[in-house]
Amino acid sequence: MNLQFPKEFWWGAATSGPQTEGRFKKQHDNVFDYDFDHFQERFWGAIGPDTASNFFNDFRDDIELMKAAGLNSVRTSIQWSRLIDDLELGTLNEKAVEFYNAVIDEFLTHGIRPVINLHHFDLPVELLHKYGGWESRHVVDLYADFAGKCFELFSDRVSDWFTFNEPMVVVECGYLLGFHYPDVVDGKRAVQVAYHLQLASSLAIKKFRTINQNPAGQIGIILNLTPAYPASSHHADVFAAEMADLWQNRLFLDASVKGEFPSVLTEMLSAENALWKATDEDLSAIRQYKIDVLGVNYYHPSRIQEPEFSSDSLAQDFRPDKFYAPYNKRGVRMNADRGWEIHPQTVYEIAKRIQKDYENLPWFISENGMGVANEQRFADNDGVIQDDYRIQFTTEHLYWLHKAISEGANCFGYHVWTPIDCWSWRNSYKNRYGLIALDIHTQVKTLKKSAHWFKSLSTAGVLEVSQQIINKYADDY
């Protein structure tokens, strides 16, 4: 079966500044630079972000490789810690301005649409240590000023902007789970961080409305949306899944699209004496400055069950996840290397939900991909990674995405994570996601089999689906 995608479809890939550029010539450290400098043992192979994939020096060659992989759009990010010299005054680093101008121009020269994100978990660490980072209302204003500088400098050529990538990762990994620096575990502080991230997104959009120079310009936010599947139809499991959905999906989605946090969520937080501190003026800004477009990152579904202990247990500190617990469903299909369930049907469910509950606003798959450890084991005699598993993974997700589009979903693109194998937070280079392989010792970059496949896909705009895949999903499609 051949599936035709829309003519102007974005066939692209996503990455970020802090995961590719390296720390060359940067004026400030972000939270991960600092984390690595002080706690190298936390990072796989003790490999930090110093060099990454050397995009700062290699960007022209890298973009040429991206073109060879068939990408017509690429999402990356501008590093706050690189662009701004004085974080308080918002003065510009001229070398950084020159660098980002050159990157944007190089993308355009190759016919690749630059899609720019303004925050990929990479808060300047000085703002964390001096003010408390996203717990601080002052940092919200500093971020909005940084965003405004980006619109002034680059919106003449960049039409597609995103305020944050996966803000819930900042909240959960930094303030609940201990996965990211500052490794805080405190539910009430996590709630305040979540609110300030949403406010910062809205105030950046406010800046965009007055500064943007591009009539075709649009701005959005990128959320890692994951429907929460209950373990059973028992009311306790269903309620747990609803609470997980409120916190993990609807908090940022409702506020960004509708301008309001879900009332059920704010009522729960109030009852727990955990609601964020807010002003009427700031809540008004959230209501007024909503997104034009949504980016959706999807990797795996969320399986939810009733928590082990009742949420009204005594002498326990507040945490949003006291209302729900993850569980491992038996017999599911896995990316065994990454430990993530493979469930392409969820793409369809996300699309239908946006269509039904969020006015079918324009959106795209901003990240989707498959990380594999020790990927060199799949190299052929010529050294080319034969990543057929990645081709199958992508095909199956696009199969379900196409079904949603054919039913009216307003999805205009699909980005893989990532163009070139990139450095990741604390996992460093353990898992490889790219269409293009990176030798971290020599910085030699080579197209994988999937890059050649993606080139054919984007050129024709037609997805070839095998009978095996059609048979696999025959009962669900």
Side-chain angles (χ1 to χ4, degrees), residues 346-388:
T346 298
V347 167
Y348 175 77
E349 296 197 26
I350 291 171
K352 300 305 288 184
R353 187 177 194 185
I354 294 171
Q355 188 174 3
K356 176 176 176 288
D357 297 338
Y358 295 93
E359 300 180 350
N360 204 20
L361 86 161
W363 66 283
F364 77 117
I365 295 284
S366 175
E367 291 181 20
N368 180 234
M370 185 173 176
V372 174
N374 189 24
E375 200 170 34
Q376 197 60 36
R377 63 188 148 137
F378 297 106
D380 64 13
N381 292 335
D382 296 322
V384 177
I385 303 293
Q386 300 295 308
D387 52 345
D388 296 274

Side-chain angles (χ1 to χ4, degrees), residues 452-469:
H452 297 286
W453 173 81
F454 202 85
K455 169 79 169 177
S456 299
L457 171 66
S458 65
T459 300
V462 174
L463 178 72
E464 184 178 345
V465 184
S466 68
Q467 191 60 47
Q468 181 186 21
I469 291 175

